[in-house]
Amino acid sequence: MRVLITGAAGRLGRMLRAAWADTAPLGFEPIWSARWADGSNDLAWDILSGSAPNIAEGAAVLHLAGVLRGHSATLSENATMALKVCAAARFAGARHVFLTSSAAVYGSSFRDHVEVHAPAPCSGYGRAKLAMERAALCWAHDAGSDAPSV
């Protein structure tokens, strides 16, 4: 399966690329995407200002790109990017979109967090990632049966 991976130049993207340098998981064909072309990425896509790349029909999208720092307006770009990725995937006929969030949506505590715990972000980043999750869930709910699963 072809998988478009956004944020290939970021921390998680670089870690995955290193882990899969010799062999990607069986049947998995990563397409590395970053904001700029530097020779190591398969394609350049500035999600906020560029037009979407050609995503192969039936592919999946692993969205790692995001904004880590800044004021609330800047951090809100996480939701904007996620929605643009979902729309591009739908237009292309992609089957799945996987969005990465953050443990920061749960806030800080001394216990381990699991997804059934209520979110309680205590930072702007955590609040922005929670807003991104909620925006994507609303999009998926309203998108219809031809939309990729999110």
Side-chain angles (χ1 to χ4, degrees):
M1 170 182 275
R2 297 187 79 190
V3 180
L4 174 66
I5 302 168
T6 69
R11 191 168 109 202
L12 289 175
R14 290 189 317 266
M15 290 169 67
L16 285 176
R17 189 188 297 260
W20 298 337
D22 294 325
T23 307
L26 187 61
F28 193 83
E29 184 183 338
I31 304 163
W32 303 101
S33 169
R35 219 176 328 173
W36 56 86
D38 67 0
S40 65
N41 299 313
D42 297 317
L43 57 96
W45 180 21
D46 184 340
I47 298 165
L48 291 172
S49 63
S51 57
N54 182 15
I55 302 169
E57 186 171 342
V61 178
L62 173 58
H63 179 54
L64 302 177
V67 178
L68 302 175
R69 293 171 201 79
H71 298 290
S72 60
T74 302
L75 291 168
S76 72
E77 292 175 349
N78 284 300
T80 304
M81 275 193 277
L83 296 176
K84 285 188 173 217
V85 166
C86 288
R90 179 182 189 179
F91 180 77
R95 293 180 17 200
H96 307 284
V97 175
F98 298 93
L99 303 172
T100 55
S101 186
S102 170
V105 301
Y106 298 110
S108 61
S109 76
F110 295 103
R111 66 180 179 150
D112 290 338
H113 295 288
V114 294
E115 289 183 347
V116 296
H117 291 157
C122 58
S123 69
Y125 175 72
R127 288 187 290 278
K129 282 300 202 174
L130 181 58
M132 184 262 322
E133 290 180 17
R134 290 180 173 162
L137 288 174
C138 287
W139 181 91
H141 179 268
D142 296 340
S145 61
D146 65 333
S149 64
V150 177

